[in-house]
Amino acid sequence: MQHIIKSTLLISLLFLFSHTTLANTTIEKEIAQYIDKNLAKSKAMLEKTVNINSGTMNFDGVKKVGAIYQAEFDAMGFDTQWVDGSKFNRAGHLVASYGNSGPKILMIGHLDTVFAKDDAFQNYSVVDDSHIAGPGITDMKGGDVIIIAALQALKALNLLDNVSIKVVMTGDEESSGRPLSLSKKALVDAAIWADIALGFEDADGDIKTAVVARRGSIGWQLDVVGKPAHSSQIFTDNVGYGAIFETARILNSFREQLAGVGNITFNPGLIAGGTEVQIQPENSIVQGFGKTNVVAKEVTVKGGIRTLTSNELAQAKKVMQDIVADNLLHTSATLTFADGYPPMSPTDQNYALLKMYSDVSESLGYGPVAPVNPRNAGAADISFAADHVDMAIDGLGLMGDGGHTKDEVADMSTFAQNMHKAAILIYRLGESYTQ
């Protein structure tokens, strides 16, 4: 849904930013020069943290990466805290705050990766002059370092006093702790405080794009029950069709009625059926036992659904529940939905913030920045913040390819560029607010 502006702050900000002149070009050059001068230190920090395994469930590794970043914020005079994650079975989150004037800006990163402690992909390695491979280098330790480097430049040049900053680096973006009301509380609280949210994921890996909308992602489970009997009696009035035929009807009806509708996609990723089904939710395992001469009694399907707006999600849920309720003879079915990532809906304010970011990029000679197709950007932590702020964009991090795989490689030509853009965007937001 469209956001309601909290105050006149952002209306004024949009107007003033659009009338920014070139009077501050010298200062902006100094910001870029400071970043470039300290780029080797930023690369060293990136290498150090990429070489620390911080798979979501490796709590010690997540905390070690968080401690390195926390020390950087402490050195800049930020107020920092580690939010303990024991209540939601995760390592926790790093929160760093600075300032109490000007626009309130939330910067979002995450400390964890998809690579477990025993994964074979563990190390930072140079591919060539402009590419470096490493677990989590683009998703998203590169983005974390961009946050830190941009703020270090502004702090060193005494340019942070016109904005208020809150940085949240979560420890469970890749596998959220439960309940979400606890695991996402630090992020949501920061978003409620903020006016603007900036996310530093790598999005679709293209420096010429940024994210104004992300589809939400939630899980669903379908449980179907039929009447067990000898298979010779299937289709009779006494036995009916069995659980597997009913499941096939339901899934095919989902496809027929929802495939290609708006930005809705859904996927049954796991299925088991037969005389008996056993579920191990902690290991994402579903096992079925049955025989070819017995009509199936049970089926369980686990899947996911992605939508761009809350209305799309409500529409999809209704269609799916209506299909599930129209059962074949002697069968019944239950469809349940889990908590997950809400949509980051496209809004006029998000597009306006992207325009500001694109203006910065063009002024630096890097060219315009266009919106990412939401189908090319997965769910991310900014989705929990977007509905609480006036404007939000994501995809401001280190670009590259192969995220979530052993082929994850960063395009290091984008490293300094996105530091420049983030720092100057924040600087201009602060200057616009004071005009």
Side-chain angles (χ1 to χ4, degrees):
M1 63 180 179
Q2 293 288 317
H3 298 296
I4 298 174
I5 298 290
K6 297 176 188 175
S7 67
T8 59
L9 167 63
L10 268 300
I11 297 173
S12 301
L13 204 56
L14 289 170
F15 175 80
L16 292 169
F17 197 102
S18 68
H19 289 77
T20 298
T21 68
L22 297 179
N24 296 323
T25 299
T26 300
I27 294 176
E28 293 182 2
K29 285 182 179 178
E30 290 177 357
I31 293 171
Q33 289 168 355
Y34 184 92
I35 288 169
D36 292 343
K37 182 179 178 181
N38 289 275
L39 192 59
K41 293 180 182 178
S42 297
K43 287 182 178 178
M45 189 194 315
L46 180 62
E47 179 175 3
K48 183 176 182 179
T49 53
V50 168
N51 280 331
I52 298 172
N53 177 277
S54 60
T56 306
M57 301 310 292
N58 178 9
F59 294 176
D60 287 342
V62 173
K63 290 177 181 178
K64 285 178 182 177
V65 172
I68 291 170
Y69 296 153
Q70 186 170 11
E72 299 294 331
F73 288 114
D74 287 339
M76 287 187 277
F78 277 65
D79 293 325
T80 64
Q81 67 172 129
W82 182 260
V83 178
D84 179 66
S86 58
K87 290 183 179 179
F88 46 91
N89 191 32
R90 292 297 185 268
H93 314 310
L94 173 61
V95 178
S97 305
Y98 185 92
N100 55 15
S101 62
K104 299 174 182 177
I105 301 172
L106 168 61
M107 304 174 76
I108 302 171
H110 67 82
L111 308 168
D112 61 320
T113 75
V114 299
F115 302 99
K117 192 173 183 179
D118 58 356
D119 196 286
F121 188 40
Q122 294 286 353
N123 300 116
Y124 178 106
S125 63
V126 177
V127 177
D128 57 38
D129 289 345
S130 59
H131 294 87
I132 296 173
I137 191 166
T138 61
D139 190 12
M140 68 166 291
K141 291 174 182 176
D144 295 333
V145 175
I146 286 173
I147 292 172
I148 292 168
L151 293 174
Q152 284 174 332
L154 295 173
K155 183 65 168 64
L157 297 170
N158 297 313
L159 299 175
L160 266 187
D161 291 341
N162 291 334
V163 293
S164 298
I165 300 289
K166 194 177 293 288
V167 180
V168 178
M169 294 183 176
T170 64
D172 68 341
E173 196 273 347
E174 301 293 2
S175 179
S176 297
R178 292 294 191 273
L180 290 176
S181 59
L182 294 180
S183 68
K184 301 305 177 186
K185 185 177 187 303
L187 183 58
V188 171
D189 286 349
I192 291 170
W193 165 87
D195 302 309
I196 301 165
L198 305 176
F200 288 80
E201 289 273 8
D202 58 326
D204 65 350
D206 185 351
I207 196 168
K208 296 179 181 179
T209 66
V211 176
V212 295
R214 285 186 180 273
R215 293 189 300 165
S217 176
I218 66 171
W220 53 266
Q221 180 170 320
L222 174 67
D223 294 294
V224 181
V225 177
K227 187 174 181 179
H230 195 282
S231 64
S232 65
Q233 301 303 300
I234 196 167
F235 309 144
T236 65
D237 290 343
N238 188 47
V239 173
Y241 293 86
I244 289 179
F245 269 120
E246 169 65 346
T247 303
R249 177 197 71 81
I250 291 171
L251 295 180
N252 190 53
S253 296
F254 286 175
R255 179 188 64 80
E256 289 179 335
Q257 295 191 38
L258 287 174
V261 175
N263 288 281
I264 299 170
T265 58
F266 53 92
N267 178 57
L270 189 62
I271 184 170
T275 304
E276 182 181 355
V277 172
Q278 294 181 339
I279 303 173
Q280 300 177 35
E282 68 279 4
N283 298 319
S284 294
I285 293 174
V286 179
Q287 296 177 316
F289 167 79
K291 293 185 176 181
T292 58
N293 62 352
V294 178
V295 176
K297 178 186 177 183
E298 301 175 1
V299 176
T300 292
V301 186
K302 296 175 75 68
I305 182 168
R306 296 174 185 268
T307 59
L308 184 58
T309 67
S310 299
N311 287 340
E312 277 192 344
L313 180 58
Q315 175 189 3
K317 284 183 174 181
K318 183 180 187 306
V319 169
M320 294 169 78
Q321 292 288 14
D322 287 346
I323 291 169
V324 166
D326 188 21
N327 304 122
L328 293 175
L329 184 63
H330 293 301
T331 67
S332 61
T334 302
L335 178 65
T336 55
F337 293 94
D339 290 333
Y341 283 76
M344 174 187 176
S345 301
T347 68
D348 291 343
Q349 290 87 0
N350 291 358
Y351 278 100
L353 182 57
L354 175 62
K355 176 63 165 59
M356 297 179 199
Y357 185 67
S358 183
D359 287 346
V360 170
S361 181
E362 290 194 81
S363 72
L364 288 164
Y366 299 147
V369 181
V372 171
N373 183 334
R375 293 291 293 268
N376 297 335
D381 272 341
I382 198 167
S383 296
F384 290 97
D387 230 20
H388 300 287
V389 296
D390 292 329
M391 44 179 39
I393 57 172
D394 198 0
L396 312 186
L398 178 59
M399 302 293 113
D401 296 301
H404 287 205
T405 77
K406 63 181 179 58
D407 298 315
E408 185 172 357
V409 175
D411 177 358
M412 296 304 291
S413 69
T414 69
F415 197 40
Q417 286 187 34
N418 278 357
M419 291 177 188
H420 298 161
K421 286 151 63 177
I424 292 172
L425 175 66
I426 293 169
Y427 165 69
R428 288 192 186 180
L429 288 169
E431 287 297 293
S432 296
Y433 179 73
T434 60
Q435 290 180 20

